[in-house]
């Protein structure tokens, strides 16, 4: 038997982190067991579905590297199949037409709730002998009234639901469109889905769907219902926690590998290991090892992971992602160091690629003014002689190597008989415009000889003007 999993988002919004984790878990099951992964767009909610959301979901999946083997399938293109099976269920007396007006159903629901009862359809039309086809009606599934549905959930163990607790759910609306619970069942059957991984909010749907599968004489897949993700404050993850589309994490400077590593650990573990490559995820992941407790989203940990991946992944790969951020920041990288060098030399100092783009701007663009605080402290009269001397030494260099750059700074301090800070700090402000940067020789190397000499010259003018003012 071929293992098949699916990710079936509703295109009413972006791919959020909860959906991305579900997709990742489903994808890993298929990858681990040599199976196939299906992408299905559940777009039966026509009013709320949008092409923009479909595009955002697929873009997010591709950015994360969760490539599907089949699909995307769209439920709206399968209505004929659903209607065919609904007609079959009616013919077999496993479904029936319900003519109850909405006013009756609303009143019944209000009365049940007032009595502290669980709202449910009372079966008013279940045993009608006549079914006029020209009157508005819905189609309801005839739920068995006896027995129970029992299934083993990979996350929560054995779950038992008495059929007496279930009512006859609607499987076709008055406008003829099929409902979610029916479409899902038919799709999973037709697409030969063997493992269904989804959120815990679907647990109550599962016994209903198993009843429909049984009525269709279809095989029952295995289920795993994963718990929700909570925000840093312990409340359900929402937009105020940054639970926006997955692509926002791309925009904020995260590598897909960091987000995947973080998401796989939100509810699953393998010993005390924190860092997982994609291959390790495939090797170790198991549905049975998913924790049924809710997981808390910790932004600080995600930032820590991202920093790890920026530092340790192939600089060429990281540079490819950085290039997008440089373009977004409006930084022209055609005249400056290779982005791989930026990654190697500055990567350890940042948590995101967005930060890295901002931190390396001075390597590609000149600045019009110095940071006021740094200039006040370091571009004073005593800096004039060190800056003038080091500029001459740097300009004389034929080999712009780290060794020669370090020697030029060291020789300047020795000749002037001052500490390295008396040379290094004014020089740092002169070439970067601010008071912080990596090691000076590295910074000089990245910026390049022409820019460095020119900027030191501007700093000398700035100091001279302060002296004369």
């Amino acid at each position: 038997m071929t293992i098949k999993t699916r990710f079936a988002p509703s295109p009413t919004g972006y791919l959020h982190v909860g959906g991305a984790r579900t997709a990742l878990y489903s994808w890993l099951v298929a990858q681990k067991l040599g199976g196939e992964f299906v992408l299905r767009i559940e777009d039966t909610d026509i009013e709320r579905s949008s092409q923009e959301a479909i595009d955002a979901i697929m873009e997010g999946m591709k950015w994360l590297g969760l490539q599907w083997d089949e699909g995307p399938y769209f439920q709206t293109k399968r209505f004929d199949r659903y209607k065919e099976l609904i007609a079959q269920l009616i013919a077999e007396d496993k479904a029936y037409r319900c003519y109850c007006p909405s006013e009756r159903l609303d009143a019944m629901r209000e009365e049940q709730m007032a009595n502290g009862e669980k709202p449910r359809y009372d079966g008013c039309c279940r045993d009608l002998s006549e079914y006029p086809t020209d009157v508005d009606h819905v189609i309801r599934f005839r739920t068995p009234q006896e027995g129970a549905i029992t299934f083993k959930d990979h996350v929560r163990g054995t779950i038992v639901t008495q059929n007496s607790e279930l009512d006859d759910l609607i499987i076709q609306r008055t406008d003829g469109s099929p409902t979610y619970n029916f479409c899902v069942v038919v799709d999973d059957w037709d697409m030969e889905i063997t493992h269904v991984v989804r959120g815990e909010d679907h647990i109550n749907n599962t016994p209903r769907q198993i009843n429909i599968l049984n009525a269709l004489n279809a095989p029952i897949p295995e289920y795993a219902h994963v718990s929700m993700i909570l925000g840093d404050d312990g409340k359900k993850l929402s937009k105020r926690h940054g639970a926006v589309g997955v692509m926002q994490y791309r925009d904020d400077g995260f590598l897909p590998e960091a987000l995947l590593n973080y998401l796989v650990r939100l509810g699953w573990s393998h010993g005390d290991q924190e860092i997982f490559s994609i291959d390790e995820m495939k090797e170790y992941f198991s549905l049975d090892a998913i924790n049924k407790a809710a997981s808390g989203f910790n932004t600080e940990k995600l930032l820590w992971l991202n920093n790890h991946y920026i530092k340790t992944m192939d600089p060429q790969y990281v540079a490819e992602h950085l290039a997008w951020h440089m373009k977004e920041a409006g930084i022209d990288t055609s005249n400056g160091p290779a982005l791989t060098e930026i990654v190697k030399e500055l990567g350890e100092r940042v948590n995101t690629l967005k930060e890295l783009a901002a931190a390396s701007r001075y390597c590609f663009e000149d600045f019009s003014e110095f940071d006021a605080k740094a200039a006040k402290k370091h571009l004073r009269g005593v800096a004039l002689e060190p800056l003038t001397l080091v500029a001459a030494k740097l300009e004389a260099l034929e080999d712009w190597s780290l060794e020669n750059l370090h020697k030029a700074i060291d020789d300047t301090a020795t000749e002037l008989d001052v500490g390295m800070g008396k040379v290094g700090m004014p020089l740092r402000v002169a070439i970067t415009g601010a008071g912080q940067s990596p090691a000076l020789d590295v910074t000089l190397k990245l910026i390049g000889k022409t820019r460095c000499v020119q900027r030191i010259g501007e700093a000398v003018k700035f100091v001279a003007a302060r002296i004369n003012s």
Side-chain angles (χ1 to χ4, degrees):
M1 178 183 71
T2 301
I3 299 298
K4 289 184 77 172
T5 64
R6 47 77 159 178
F7 177 54
S10 174
T12 56
Y14 299 112
L15 175 63
H16 53 80
V17 292
R21 183 187 63 171
T22 299
L24 172 60
Y25 284 1
S26 298
W27 182 79
L28 286 174
V29 172
Q31 291 287 314
K32 180 181 179 68
L33 302 176
E36 297 176 348
F37 176 59
V38 176
L39 176 61
R40 185 171 77 222
I41 305 297
E42 297 188 339
D43 56 347
T44 54
D45 188 346
I46 297 174
E47 290 187 2
R48 295 176 61 222
S49 297
S50 70
Q51 186 60 49
E52 180 183 11
I54 292 171
D55 294 342
I57 289 168
M58 295 177 68
E59 183 183 22
M61 294 282 285
K62 290 177 181 177
W63 180 71
L64 289 171
L66 302 179
Q67 185 58 48
W68 51 91
D69 302 296
E70 286 186 23
Y73 296 111
F74 294 87
Q75 289 184 331
T76 49
K77 295 182 180 180
R78 290 173 44 78
F79 275 15
D80 289 345
R81 172 61 172 161
Y82 306 139
K83 291 181 178 180
E84 170 195 341
L85 290 175
I86 288 173
Q88 175 186 316
L89 290 178
I90 292 175
E92 296 174 352
D93 201 29
K94 295 176 180 177
Y96 62 91
R97 298 179 179 86
C98 173
Y99 300 89
C100 293
S102 58
E103 293 81 7
R104 178 185 182 277
L105 297 175
D106 291 342
M108 178 181 65
R109 188 178 299 108
E110 289 180 10
E111 182 179 351
Q112 289 170 337
M113 293 178 68
N115 295 332
E117 301 171 1
K118 179 180 178 181
R120 49 183 290 125
Y121 180 60
D122 62 1
C124 175
C125 296
R126 185 181 177 99
D127 298 317
L128 291 179
S129 57
E130 294 185 7
Y131 294 108
T133 57
D134 58 346
V135 178
D136 283 347
H137 61 275
V138 298
I139 306 295
R140 290 184 183 271
F141 175 70
R142 192 182 296 275
T143 300
Q145 294 181 310
E146 298 179 351
I149 292 298
T150 302
F151 69 96
K152 183 182 181 300
D153 188 279
H154 279 275
V155 180
R156 296 160 198 285
T158 300
I159 296 177
V160 180
T161 304
Q162 300 297 321
N163 281 323
S164 58
E165 298 177 20
L166 307 173
D167 60 359
D168 294 346
L169 75 158
I170 296 173
I171 58 175
Q172 181 176 296
R173 304 179 184 90
T174 54
D175 63 2
S177 63
T179 59
Y180 164 79
N181 273 303
F182 188 74
C183 296
V184 169
V185 166
V186 176
D187 291 343
D188 285 343
W189 179 27
D190 286 353
M191 296 170 194
E192 300 179 316
I193 301 302
T194 62
H195 293 69
V196 173
V197 183
R198 57 189 180 189
E200 64 180 347
D201 52 322
H202 288 285
I203 291 177
N204 291 335
N205 289 329
T206 304
R208 298 174 179 273
Q209 293 173 8
I210 291 177
N211 270 324
I212 298 175
L213 286 165
N214 286 335
L216 293 170
N217 296 314
I220 310 300
E222 297 181 31
Y223 294 94
H225 292 91
V226 298
S227 297
M228 69 175 66
I229 300 173
L230 304 177
D232 301 74
D233 56 3
K235 296 180 180 179
K236 185 177 180 181
L237 200 63
S238 64
K239 287 186 178 180
R240 71 175 181 276
H241 300 103
V244 289
V246 160
M247 297 310 291
Q248 184 64 49
Y249 291 92
R250 186 275 311 267
D251 297 351
D252 289 343
F254 291 92
L255 286 166
E257 290 77 10
L259 186 56
L260 287 173
N261 191 153
Y262 185 72
L263 290 178
V264 80
R265 289 283 290 109
L266 278 179
W268 172 84
S269 62
H270 179 72
D272 295 327
Q273 186 171 340
E274 292 286 351
I275 308 295
F276 291 89
S277 67
I278 299 298
D279 286 340
E280 286 176 322
M281 292 183 204
K282 294 177 185 178
E283 179 181 355
Y284 300 137
F285 183 77
S286 167
L287 290 176
D288 295 318
I290 297 175
N291 193 322
K292 63 182 178 182
S295 302
F297 196 93
N298 186 319
T299 304
E300 290 301 314
K301 188 171 182 180
L302 175 57
L303 288 167
W304 171 79
L305 273 171
N306 203 51
N307 171 262
H308 167 82
Y309 279 97
I310 290 173
K311 292 187 297 186
T312 60
M313 293 195 78
D314 179 2
Q316 181 60 48
Y317 173 79
V318 179
E320 290 170 6
H321 285 270
L322 176 61
W324 184 89
H325 289 276
M326 300 296 265
K327 185 177 180 181
E328 286 295 300
I331 300 173
D332 180 4
T333 59
S334 61
N335 183 18
L339 292 185
T340 51
E341 294 304 308
I342 295 294
V343 172
K344 291 176 185 176
E345 303 300 344
L346 305 184
E348 289 193 12
R349 302 171 62 88
V350 300
N351 288 327
T352 71
L353 295 177
K354 189 173 183 179
E355 290 176 19
L356 185 53
S360 61
R361 183 182 287 273
Y362 62 75
C363 295
F364 303 92
E365 295 179 356
D366 292 326
F367 44 87
S368 57
E369 56 185 34
F370 301 104
D371 175 78
K373 186 176 180 180
K376 182 179 180 180
K377 185 175 182 180
H378 300 294
L379 295 186
R380 297 177 295 147
V382 292
L384 188 60
E385 189 174 15
L387 285 175
T388 303
L389 182 56
V390 77
K393 291 184 178 298
L394 292 174
E395 191 168 14
L397 289 180
E398 294 184 4
D399 180 11
W400 195 255
S401 65
L402 290 176
E403 182 181 1
N404 286 343
L405 292 170
H406 183 80
K407 187 175 186 301
I409 300 169
D410 197 39
D411 287 351
T412 301
T414 299
E415 288 183 29
L416 296 177
D417 194 23
V418 296
M420 282 291 290
K422 299 292 185 181
V423 179
M425 288 310 299
L427 178 58
R428 176 173 279 111
V429 177
I431 62 174
T432 69
Q436 292 186 331
S437 75
L440 262 178
D441 50 359
V442 171
T443 305
L444 289 162
K445 174 81 171 170
L446 288 173
I447 294 173
K449 181 176 180 177
T450 301
R451 277 199 173 109
C452 285
V453 172
Q454 177 185 345
R455 290 177 185 180
I456 298 170
E458 294 298 321
V460 167
K461 293 179 184 177
F462 179 86
V463 173
R466 286 189 67 179
I467 294 173
N468 297 326
S469 62

